[in-house]
Amino acid sequence: MSEVFLLDVGSGKLVFAVGNKSDSGVYNVRNIASCEYDGYYKGEFLDPDALEESVRQTIAESGFRGRIGKLYVGVPTDFIKVRNNHVKNTYRSSRTVTDDTLDELYARGNIFDGDADYVAINCSARGFTLDNKFRCINPIYEQASYIDADLTYIMCSKKFCATIEKVASAIGAKRVSYVSSFWATCVQLLPSDVRENGAAVCDIGFSNTSFGIVVGDGLETAVSKSVGGANIAGDLYQVLDIPYASACTLVSKANLYQETDNGSCYNVLVDGKPQQFNSFGVNRIIQARLDDFVEFITRSLSESGNFSPEVVYLTGGGIAELKGAAAYISRQLGMRLETIVPDVPTYGKSYYSSVFGTFDVADKLEKSKNVFKRFLDRFRR
């Protein structure tokens, strides 16, 4: 059985995983490890020259010692753009929709080859309408004489590709395939019935947050902001004038369900000495930063057109361990938040959503010769 070699690029960590998924849905993860690295900011790696060594370290810590034939790379939202197109086709008579039928539609819809800075890496459908009456996500084997396709093309920064391919060549990978990790998280972790009419997803990471609307198998929109869980510790570090490590410990002890000043304190070591911080005051500092996420989600929703969801699906490791954070954001938004995690034993945490969402897509690509893979082959670098 073929194996997937995945490098998931996060805002604060790299994750390398090797394995596959059985036909019965069982994950066989032979190697996996994560390592901190310098990350990126607003579509630029902060230290691109050190990226190769960080990737080598991540691979080494996973215990993998073999050769990498093809490396799948999870691309962060900071390095992608979403482009949507509407394609229609009328046939002389009713016909069975096949992979070749969709190939033709995807090819016709790709009008983005002329982009100087971005290249198409993924194509998927938000939905198909057959004969002006039947709406579906997957029309294969349906009969139709007219097809109306809403298509999503995900474009990846050519500069990002050049940086990654330099690293891939240095570590001996023969080929690189790119997958939008946010798109993969949306389509793999949310069931199709949830995605059918559109779902709002927010991925809060270490120093970056992504928000998007997934419809069917495509994205209506995807945006990112350079703020994440690390900024919460950064605020405590600045406001309380304590070492960053102590600020991180303070975040781990915080409980936002405590909403009144009852005189309780969080006890944290500062420069090796125990120190107390008023719980209510610390919580207010943290909530002020969480308001940034609330504002980002609210603005992104307002810019998404007429889409008015009742729930926002939350994932990512940035605030996953912060007690009461999701409840606070939900209350400020006036909307329900539901946390989504991968259905993988041992790795069923928000932190691993991007990794296993992208892993699932890569595994399907390795096993399948369907339209999605053939389209991706045209743009694989």
Side-chain angles (χ1 to χ4, degrees):
M1 185 180 290
S2 61
E3 284 192 309
V4 167
F5 299 92
L6 171 66
L7 176 68
D8 191 55
V9 180
S11 57
K13 290 185 179 182
L14 300 171
V15 179
F16 180 75
V18 181
N20 53 44
K21 194 175 180 182
S22 72
D23 293 337
S24 60
V26 176
Y27 288 87
N28 302 302
V29 181
R30 185 157 62 90
N31 304 87
I32 187 169
S34 64
C35 288
E36 295 181 359
Y37 79 121
D38 292 306
Y40 56 84
Y41 182 74
K42 294 187 176 181
E44 297 282 345
F45 284 110
L46 294 177
D47 191 354
D49 293 335
L51 184 60
E52 178 189 331
E53 182 55 37
S54 297
V55 171
R56 288 186 183 277
Q57 179 187 354
T58 309
I59 294 173
E61 293 197 11
S62 77
F64 178 73
R65 297 293 183 269
R67 295 185 57 131
I68 301 172
K70 184 192 307 178
L71 181 66
Y72 285 92
V73 176
V75 184
T77 309
D78 248 30
F79 298 93
I80 70 163
K81 322 191 274 194
V82 173
R83 293 290 180 263
N84 291 323
N85 201 3
H86 202 63
V87 181
K88 304 175 182 179
N89 212 355
T90 302
Y91 307 98
R92 293 182 179 179
S93 60
S94 185
R95 60 165 62 185
T96 301
V97 180
T98 66
D99 284 343
D100 290 337
T101 309
L102 300 190
D103 261 343
E104 180 186 359
L105 292 170
Y106 287 140
R108 284 183 52 203
N110 179 33
I111 58 174
F112 310 107
D113 282 346
D115 195 305
D117 300 316
Y118 288 79
V119 61
I121 57 167
N122 298 142
C123 179
S124 54
R126 285 165 286 139
F128 298 89
T129 303
L130 309 182
D131 294 335
N132 288 318
K133 58 184 179 181
F134 176 52
R135 177 80 177 180
C136 63
I137 296 176
N138 182 10
I140 297 295
Y141 303 130
E142 299 288 350
Q143 295 288 318
S145 59
Y146 172 79
I147 301 179
D148 188 338
D150 295 325
L151 304 178
T152 293
Y153 296 82
I154 295 181
M155 316 290 289
C156 180
S157 161
K158 291 181 179 179
K159 188 173 181 180
F160 176 89
C161 294
T163 300
I164 292 296
E165 283 160 20
K166 181 179 178 181
V167 172
S169 176
I171 65 173
K174 295 181 180 179
R175 204 173 187 185
V176 182
S177 289
Y178 301 98
V179 178
S180 162
S181 52
F182 180 71
W183 166 78
T185 298
C186 292
V187 298
Q188 295 303 133
L189 269 62
L190 289 177
S192 59
D193 60 330
V194 172
R195 293 183 276 112
E196 186 172 359
N197 295 316
V201 181
C202 184
D203 185 334
I204 300 178
F206 177 75
S207 62
N208 195 272
T209 297
S210 298
F211 179 88
I213 307 296
V214 55
V215 181
D217 289 334
L219 290 174
E220 189 73 27
T221 183
V223 292
S224 66
K225 182 176 182 178
S226 297
V227 61
N231 294 91
I232 297 173
D235 292 341
L236 295 173
Y237 156 77
Q238 289 189 326
V239 176
L240 302 178
D241 192 25
I242 58 176
Y244 186 75
S246 299
C248 291
T249 302
L250 197 51
V251 173
S252 70
K253 293 192 173 187
N255 183 353
L256 301 186
Y257 289 114
Q258 180 180 302
E259 298 177 357
T260 58
D261 190 356
N262 60 6
S264 65
C265 293
Y266 299 128
N267 298 304
V268 175
L269 289 178
V270 177
D271 295 328
K273 299 178 181 179
Q275 191 167 330
Q276 292 186 332
F277 297 90
N278 178 265
S279 302
F280 182 73
V282 169
N283 287 0
R284 292 298 295 270
I285 296 170
I286 293 173
Q287 289 167 348
R289 176 57 69 179
L290 293 180
D291 287 338
D292 279 355
F293 300 119
V294 173
E295 187 275 334
F296 174 59
I297 295 171
T298 301
R299 186 180 72 251
S300 299
L301 280 171
S302 69
E303 294 172 353
S304 64
N306 297 323
F307 184 74
S308 301
E310 296 180 355
V311 58
V312 172
Y313 293 92
L314 181 66
T315 192
I319 62 168
E321 303 301 320
L322 177 52
K323 292 182 285 293
Y328 176 82
I329 293 175
S330 175
R331 188 166 61 249
Q332 296 301 101
L333 285 173
M335 298 174 62
R336 192 169 84 253
L337 257 65
E338 289 188 15
T339 301
I340 53 175
V341 300
D343 185 18
V344 186
T346 308
Y347 303 103
K349 299 179 180 180
S350 295
Y351 169 80
Y352 289 107
S353 294
S354 173
V355 176
F356 282 94
T358 310
F359 184 93
D360 275 357
V361 170
D363 184 72
K364 289 178 180 179
L365 292 174
E366 281 299 294
K367 294 174 179 175
S368 176
K369 293 296 181 183
N370 65 10
V371 58
F372 180 62
K373 182 169 184 177
R374 288 202 296 275
F375 176 85
L376 200 65
D377 281 340
R378 298 191 187 106
F379 296 98
R380 189 178 290 118
R381 298 170 61 86

